[in-house]
Amino acid sequence: DERKMLAGRRDLTTDCIYTIDPVDAKDHDDAVSVEKNHNGYRLGVHIADVSAYVDEGSALDREALVRGNSVYLPGTVIHMLPEVLSSDICSLRPDRKRLTHSVFIEYDKTGKALSWEIADTVISSKARLAYEQVQAFFDGEKVAAIPRDVGQNLMIARELADLLTKRRFSEGSLDFDLPESKIILNEKGEAVELGNRVRLESHRLVEEFMLAANRAVALQVFRLGQPFLYRVHDRPDQEKAEAFSYLMSRLGQKFPVSPNLKPIHFARFLKSVAKLPEADFINELLLRSMKKAVYQRENIGHFGLAFSHYTHFTSPIRRYPDLLVHRLLRHLKHGQYPLALARRVADVIDTVGDHCSETERTAETAERQAIKIKQAAYMAGHIGEEYDGVVSGVTPHGFFVRLTRLGAEGMVRLSSLNDDYYLYDEKHYLISGRRTARTFRLGDVV
């Protein structure tokens, strides 16, 4: 019954709200709107209200929890929720009334958050945009698919996103701008092209707004003093930080380590190496030396983002923790959980947090393996060709090389180098020829 579903919701169907996603996306779970006012800016982040359709404890809900998240593999998606929900009923498609959970944030002219509120809303998206379209629009091209009012809104959004990015980086937030594998498949699912995804300004804009919404929601609940599911990232292990520092000294870089390392120290270091040919590689080594972000009830902040409070709220179609966060917010309408829920809420949060941290790791591993399989199959058709790459690992048996343009990685075995007898130098992360003194060192361009 539509009347019942819309009851008590704020009607935003006439507002200038739009989605920005990858070209081939079908599950649009976030929409945005930005306006200027006398204070500065007002940002609206509108998230598909999946909790209105998936009842807690239902068979659908139990299956979604088991899966924990959607899994994105080359050419296919294993959905957390049935496609009729993820790609249609919950998806924020243009010109359709859709139930949403919105966060409104007021900013001053410097991009400092002044206040925020969370509301149950109903929207009707005015445009379904792709990152590439928005980027072309920012670059001054005429894009027919972008209505005039949406275009004006995008220019204000661009201003605000720029302020937020600068502010976030000045506070020490880390920007691991690592190349992401891009694999183009034909109808048979065979890789016909490999490369790296280009990170556009339009990607960063959406990312910035999602970070802001997640942060505001986490702060809101933290201030209420109620148990909640946070997305946390612990500070790096002293031992691992020292190992990274040693590795950098071998690459001719200085990374000082102290017991009270802060995100800003890492951020400054990343900035100092950003122009080097092996910058991507150093980024990756630093990322490997850090802990993994997890879901848990105890808020220890997010080291990588340099946020004191953070949660996941913006993707309930593809992540179960976000769905739980939406439900918790709904129960917190009056500042605290109803008695029956208050008794068990800690257990629910702990169970979901542990399980979904695990399913996320499994999904990441599967994704990495699937990409490697597609890359290997593609490279099998290019044996004998020459490519540029970077030495990405050194072992007693040989060294790994990552191809710069294609992103594929493979091992060069010492037994295949027949111009000399090569020795492994563990301390210096290099392999050297006994006679020719030819070396292959970690980070070398080959």
Side-chain angles (χ1 to χ4, degrees):
D1 177 8
E2 188 180 298
R3 218 175 50 237
K4 207 163 135 194
M5 292 208 92
L6 299 182
R9 285 180 180 269
R10 197 179 299 179
D11 188 343
L12 308 177
T13 48
T14 57
D15 289 21
C16 182
I17 293 172
Y18 45 90
T19 61
I20 309 175
D21 288 287
V23 167
D24 51 0
K26 292 184 181 69
D27 49 349
H28 308 280
D29 49 14
D30 52 86
V32 295
S33 56
V34 188
E35 56 196 56
K36 263 187 160 164
N37 56 27
H38 58 284
N39 288 327
Y41 303 87
R42 177 178 166 87
L43 166 67
V45 174
H46 315 281
I47 306 299
D49 191 356
V50 179
S51 63
Y53 296 95
V54 180
D55 290 335
E56 198 172 340
S58 63
L60 191 57
D61 184 45
R62 290 199 303 273
E63 179 61 26
L65 174 56
V66 168
R67 294 182 180 211
N69 41 259
S70 294
V71 184
Y72 294 84
L73 305 175
T76 184
V77 183
I78 301 163
H79 293 279
M80 179 179 87
L81 293 167
E83 265 193 87
V84 65
L85 280 178
S86 60
S87 303
D88 185 11
I89 295 168
C90 295
S91 189
L92 308 179
R93 293 161 70 176
D95 306 318
R96 307 271 177 91
K97 274 188 184 174
R98 287 293 184 257
L99 306 184
T100 42
H101 218 138
S102 300
V103 181
F104 302 97
I105 310 175
E106 298 280 347
Y107 292 97
D108 70 10
K109 292 178 175 69
T110 69
K112 179 175 188 277
L114 302 170
S115 63
W116 54 84
E117 61 159 334
I118 302 168
D120 287 332
T121 52
V122 54
I123 69 162
S124 173
S125 168
K126 299 294 172 272
R128 175 171 65 199
L129 307 176
Y131 288 117
E132 291 74 11
Q133 282 176 316
V134 175
Q135 192 57 51
F137 176 74
F138 286 163
D139 295 342
E141 294 171 32
K142 269 199 102 54
V143 184
I146 299 182
R148 203 168 138 251
D149 55 341
V150 172
Q152 289 168 341
N153 200 291
L154 277 171
M155 293 317 282
I156 302 169
R158 185 187 196 183
E159 262 176 51
L160 175 60
D162 193 46
L163 288 172
L164 296 184
T165 302
K166 288 197 174 92
R167 178 174 280 274
R168 186 162 64 84
F169 288 161
S170 73
E171 286 167 4
S173 201
L174 301 183
D175 184 32
F176 290 109
D177 207 350
L178 285 171
E180 239 188 284
S181 295
K182 174 175 157 190
I183 300 178
I184 294 171
L185 307 174
N186 62 15
E187 301 77 63
K188 292 185 193 154
E190 299 160 340
V192 289
E193 200 185 313
L194 297 187
N196 291 316
R197 278 183 206 287
V198 182
R199 187 144 169 244
L200 306 170
E201 184 192 349
S202 52
H203 286 122
R204 204 186 273 284
L205 176 135
V206 173
E207 206 174 280
E208 218 49 75
F209 293 163
M210 298 308 123
L211 289 173
N214 286 332
R215 192 181 190 179
V217 167
L219 260 165
Q220 172 93 347
V221 179
F222 186 80
R223 287 177 181 174
L224 294 172
Q226 297 294 313
F228 198 53
L229 182 66
Y230 294 96
R231 174 72 170 176
V232 304
H233 184 223
D234 205 353
R235 50 184 311 115
D237 218 47
Q238 181 75 10
E239 219 169 281
K240 280 202 167 166
E242 279 164 11
F244 174 75
S245 174
Y246 176 74
L247 192 53
M248 287 303 103
S249 69
R250 292 292 167 212
L251 292 178
Q253 302 301 324
K254 245 177 97 90
F255 179 72
V257 178
S258 66
N260 60 347
L261 272 176
K262 293 192 166 52
I264 194 88
H265 298 136
F266 289 88
R268 283 183 193 137
F269 175 73
L270 286 179
K271 202 171 174 187
S272 73
V273 299
K275 297 275 186 287
L276 297 178
E278 64 270 31
D280 283 348
F281 176 60
I282 291 174
N283 264 293
E284 195 176 325
L285 286 175
L286 179 56
L287 196 57
R288 276 190 222 160
S289 74
M290 295 198 134
K291 297 202 170 148
K292 279 221 170 300
V294 294
Y295 298 104
Q296 67 180 42
R297 183 160 45 109
E298 188 198 349
N299 177 43
I300 55 170
H302 197 294
F303 186 87
L305 290 170
F307 287 173
S308 55
H309 305 77
Y310 192 61
T311 189
H312 270 173
F313 160 83
T314 52
S315 292
I317 287 178
R318 60 184 181 89
R319 292 189 303 227
Y320 194 87
D322 304 52
L323 177 54
L324 175 66
V325 161
H326 280 233
R327 284 184 183 141
L328 295 177
L329 288 172
R330 186 147 289 137
H331 287 303
L332 282 170
K333 277 275 165 43
H334 304 296
Q336 53 191 31
Y337 296 116
L339 203 58
L341 176 63
R343 288 198 185 104
R344 62 185 185 91
V345 74
D347 286 343
V348 171
I349 292 169
D350 292 348
T351 306
V352 171
D354 290 347
H355 174 70
C356 292
S357 298
E358 191 61 44
T359 60
E360 179 185 32
R361 283 194 292 274
T362 307
E364 274 176 9
T365 308
E367 194 178 333
R368 267 201 304 273
Q369 297 290 359
I371 286 170
K372 278 184 179 169
I373 290 166
K374 294 291 184 195
Q375 286 172 334
Y378 174 85
M379 295 312 294
H382 295 264
I383 288 169
E385 293 183 22
E386 287 192 13
Y387 297 92
D388 293 327
V390 173
V391 176
S392 56
V394 182
T395 76
H397 316 294
F399 54 90
F400 288 93
V401 174
R402 173 158 320 137
L403 304 184
T404 314
R405 196 173 53 81
L406 301 184
E409 188 176 49
M411 185 179 219
V412 178
R413 296 197 171 274
L414 292 192
S415 55
S416 69
L417 298 175
N418 46 23
D419 65 336
D420 200 347
Y421 182 76
Y422 285 87
L423 299 164
Y424 170 57
D425 179 346
E426 185 178 7
K427 196 172 167 201
H428 296 93
Y429 303 96
L430 68 83
I431 276 164
S432 59
R434 197 153 58 183
R435 191 170 42 78
T436 57
R438 188 184 184 197
T439 61
F440 297 98
R441 183 197 292 266
L442 195 63
D444 276 358
V445 176
V446 289

